[in-house]
Amino acid sequence: MNSALLPNYGTPDLEFDHGQGSYLYSSNGQRYLDFAMGIAVNCLGHCHPKLVAALTEQANKVWHTSNLYRIAQSERLAHKLMEHSFADKVFFCNSGAEAVECGFKIIRRYHHSKQQPQRNRIVSMTGAFHGRTLATIAAAANPLHCEGFLVGDAGFDQAESGNIESLRRVVDARTAGIIIEPIQGENGIKVLPVDYLAAVRELCDQQDIVLMFDEVQCGVGRSGSLYAYQQLGVSPDVLASAKGLGGGFPVGACLSIEKLAATMTPGSHGSTFGGNPLAMAVANAVIDEICQPSFLSELASNSEYFRRELALLIESNPQRLKAVTGLGMMIGLNCHIDNTELCSRLQEHKLLVVKAGGNSIRLLPALNIARSELDEALSIISNVLKAW
Ligand code: PLP
């Protein structure tokens, strides 16, 4: 049945027919509590009425015109992002990797525009994940993702994540920018220390190095603030956003400060679909919902409750679980038991979670999840651990 697809995803069996809120319903009629949310994408759950309304209303007007013409919805969304973040300018695209690529181009273009084309190298962190395009795999330098694909080093260096001395050793006169996930996602949910990020910011300021944050996974409310950097006390110059931004509709965005954005002159970059009216209609509705004053405060109290309960679960299962990590609703459970096996047993018990590095699992519920649904997940996890 799947033989016409490239084999890169393997052959998963489980298929879903529809979803509502925190639940997905499989084609054979089973209900699953979804703490994967399309890998941190469906931030308002499945088929949120406001997103469905925004999408269908726009679908009845116009779907696509291209960037040859003005798209009012993209200007509206850019203004909202500007209002709620450090950004002066925004570029819209369709995925996380594209948002990161745009950031890489901005970093190099900035130094090029200063007549310093030799400053073109970008430093990433060990354990990073930035996507699957050629530049983003070269940046993250995960051998599993690079094998057979790269020519040369593509202009990237790497420092040990969280280690400022390692970063100082790697940075030289050719360094143009540094890319960091303030909360690493694929590598297990790891929040970078505030003092480390402050030291990186200082280093960048001293040497005119562009600081870029990849908030593709931790952004758009996932960490408990619109962007995670807002809780971590360090503002970037460029930020990649995607995943939750479209609540399930493909959207990416690259946010930038004016000084860098100004170098991206007409014709320097582009995307056929980026900023498309359908995507913009949905993303505007997502941001309107998340930026309501009560939204993030409710998320904070639910997150606190959930993490407290998870900590109790760890206390009663010290042989099986190690620690709870992360911020907001970006939660990692570090395990002693095998994380792949835990994911599949939870799935057998109708709870969907995502595996991550460092023998951990990711719990990524809808940001607007109900307390009762958190309790349901806790009870499934507890039962699975009891039977281990
Ligand atoms: N950056 C981070 C931190 C991510 O977690 C991901 C995807 O998981 C990406 C970039 C790539 O996003 P996409 O798969 O939309 O290209």
Side-chain angles (χ1 to χ4, degrees), residues 95-98 100 129-131 181 186 214 216-217 242-243:
S95 67
E98 278 178 82
V100 174
F129 182 78
H130 299 300
E181 289 163 86
E186 301 300 309
D214 179 346
V216 167
Q217 193 161 149
K243 286 198 184 268

Side-chain angles (χ1 to χ4, degrees), residues 89 106 109 113 256-266 268:
K89 292 280 191 277
I106 291 176
R109 182 84 166 183
S113 77
S256 173
I257 59 168
E258 177 65 38
K259 174 174 86 166
L260 307 179
T263 67
M264 299 297 281
T265 48
S268 60

Side-chain angles (χ1 to χ4, degrees), residues 191-204:
V191 186
L192 282 187
V194 170
D195 54 351
Y196 169 74
L197 291 174
V200 177
R201 178 72 269 180
E202 198 185 346
L203 179 68
C204 289

